[in-house]
């Protein structure tokens, strides 16, 4: 059990921003800060800047040494060594780790995890699903990613690549994703996928209010705008949204069948945009899940918000210290 008086250092690293916080055992963020990642300056420079940020944080009068530091980061990454493996948004960090810089500077053990896996772990450590032993976290946003907690443990796979739920096939023959897999979850439900589907309809000459709402600018055709057009009664927008909701239903329904989680927690901008139509999402998930999920499928929208990465990182530090 985590001592409620203990504290951990948490960091959340993305391609544009690095965030850090001091977090208590019960998930309170005592102090926090953020700086630009500037990945092209190299990982050692970034790690030193992150350490500067951590040292500037206020530990809230506590005289205890942090139990350790957890880092939630975009991957791919080897969770054991913290070494990046050809990361698409952190190119210059390939085959490198922050640990050799951070551990001597901060004087605590540093543990690294994939952001989606740690988001799932955060949901089992803090908030309404605290204590869950089997939980999935799925984010539907610019991409579709996931984290898996099975029997209380983070599932990372043989080389750290587990949880790529975005690339399970949900609609063969429909849209492909950027990686090129035919009809995958991400290729049909991510924000860019929804925009791509609407643009295809516009290019085919279909009449839709989306085009005028976007001021005839392709870059302004976003999932948010398409959902708004659908709410206003535009039939093309409604069809595009229904396709995405079906893709979400097939994807999440399949995941329920495989993992039998206590909770399947979803986050991300596309999901937030579907909050008003959550009944439709649940209805589609039921269509593609087994009989024992029909009564009350354990689907939940995350309540941890933007702090989910920091909380997962803190949870990792406490778990490894425990
Ligand atoms: Zn894919």
């Amino acid at each position: 059990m985590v001592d409620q008086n203990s504290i951990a250092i948490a960091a959340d690293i993305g391609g544009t921003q690095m965030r850090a916080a001091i977090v208590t055992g019960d998930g309170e963020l005592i102090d926090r800060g953020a700086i630009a990642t500037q990945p092209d300056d190299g990982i050692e420079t970034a790690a030193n800047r992150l350490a500067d940020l951590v040292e500037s944080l206020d530990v809230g009068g506590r005289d205890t040494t942090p139990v350790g530091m957890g880092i939630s980061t975009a991957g791919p990454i080897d969770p054991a060594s913290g070494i990046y493996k050809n990361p698409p948004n952190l190119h210059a960090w390939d085959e490198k780790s922050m640990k050799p810089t951070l551990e001597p500077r901060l004087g605590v053990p540093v543990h690294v995890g994939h952001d989606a896996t740690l988001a799932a772990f955060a949901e089992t450590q803090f908030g309404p699903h605290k204590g869950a032993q089997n939980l999935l976290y799925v984010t539907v946003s610019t991409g579709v990613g996931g984290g898996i907690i099975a029997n209380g443990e983070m599932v990372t796979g043989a080389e750290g690549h587990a949880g790529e739920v975005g690339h399970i096939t949900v609609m063969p023959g429909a849209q492909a994703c950027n990686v090129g897999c035919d009809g995958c979850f991400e290729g049909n439900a991510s924000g860019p996928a929804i925009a791509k589907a609407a643009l295809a309809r516009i290019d085919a000459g279909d009449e839709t209010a989306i085009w005028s709402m976007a001021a005839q600018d392709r870059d302004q055709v976003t999932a948010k705008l398409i959902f708004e057009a659908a709410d206003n009664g535009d039939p093309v927008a409604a069809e595009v949204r229904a396709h995405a909701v079906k893709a979400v239903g097939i994807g999440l329904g399949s995941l329920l069948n495989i993992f039998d989680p206590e909770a399947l927690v979803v986050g991300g901008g596309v999901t937030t945009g579907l909050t008003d139509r959550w009944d439709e999402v649940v209805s589609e998930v039921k269509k593609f899940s087994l009989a024992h999920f029909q009564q009350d499928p354990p689907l939940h929208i995350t309540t941890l918000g933007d702090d989910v990465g920091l909380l997962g990182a803190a949870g990792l530090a406490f778990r490894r210290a425990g």
Side-chain angles (χ1 to χ4, degrees):
M1 282 299 289
V2 173
D3 175 355
Q4 299 303 303
N5 291 317
S6 59
I7 53 174
I9 302 165
D12 186 3
I13 299 174
T16 55
Q17 202 181 44
M18 296 193 285
R19 305 197 300 154
I22 304 295
V23 185
T24 67
D26 53 8
E28 183 195 349
L29 276 64
I30 300 174
D31 195 15
R32 60 162 80 202
I35 50 174
T37 308
Q38 299 171 1
D40 294 341
D41 292 348
I43 196 166
E44 200 178 325
T45 303
N48 275 309
R49 291 172 56 247
L50 180 62
D52 292 342
L53 174 64
V54 167
E55 285 169 353
S56 76
L57 297 176
D58 185 353
V59 298
R62 286 167 173 78
D63 57 4
T64 50
T65 304
V67 297
M69 178 179 192
I71 297 178
S72 167
T73 179
I77 194 157
D78 176 348
S81 62
I83 293 173
Y84 287 90
K85 298 289 179 187
N86 200 17
N89 298 314
L90 301 163
H91 288 296
W93 298 7
D94 186 28
E95 292 297 331
K96 299 191 173 82
S97 168
M98 280 199 172
K99 285 173 66 161
T101 305
L102 291 174
E103 286 186 332
R105 268 208 59 180
L106 297 173
V108 294
V110 174
H111 311 282
V112 186
H114 188 270
D115 49 10
T117 304
L118 289 186
F121 190 59
E123 296 282 350
T124 69
Q125 302 299 300
F126 310 104
H129 311 295
K130 183 176 176 177
Q133 296 294 299
N134 295 278
L135 182 143
L136 302 177
Y137 180 93
V138 176
T139 175
V140 186
S141 172
T142 309
V144 175
I148 302 162
I149 307 299
N151 301 330
E153 297 293 333
M154 287 171 263
V155 175
T156 55
E159 295 185 19
H161 298 305
E164 291 285 0
V165 301
H167 302 288
I168 56 175
T169 305
V170 297
M171 289 177 165
Q175 287 188 156
C177 71
N178 290 339
V179 179
C181 37
D182 169 29
C184 73
F185 191 169
E186 179 170 301
N188 290 275
S190 68
I194 293 166
K196 186 175 161 188
L199 286 166
R201 297 290 298 267
I202 291 164
D203 291 343
D206 289 344
E207 280 294 320
T208 166
I210 296 168
W211 196 225
S212 56
M213 287 171 71
Q216 305 191 352
D217 176 353
R218 298 179 79 85
D219 291 341
Q220 287 192 44
V221 176
T222 61
K224 186 168 185 281
L225 183 137
I226 293 158
F227 290 177
E228 201 183 315
D231 283 341
N232 293 342
D234 182 77
V236 170
E239 283 173 34
V240 168
R241 180 170 64 188
H243 178 88
V245 169
K246 184 174 180 181
V248 170
I250 297 172
L252 299 187
S254 302
L255 291 171
L256 285 181
N257 294 343
I258 296 166
F259 290 100
D260 187 19
E262 289 143 75
L264 195 172
V265 183
V266 292
V270 171
T271 313
T272 313
L274 290 170
T275 308
D276 293 345
R277 312 185 76 80
W278 194 241
D279 288 351
E280 282 177 33
V281 175
V282 173
S283 164
E284 286 295 327
V285 171
K286 283 184 179 178
K287 280 186 204 166
F288 300 101
S289 58
L290 292 167
H292 51 278
F293 294 114
Q294 298 303 308
Q295 187 79 22
D296 187 18
L299 289 172
H300 305 275
I301 295 175
T302 182
T303 58
L304 300 182
D306 287 344
D307 290 336
V308 73
L310 289 170
L311 289 170
L316 177 64
F318 286 122
R319 166 64 67 94
R320 293 288 180 259

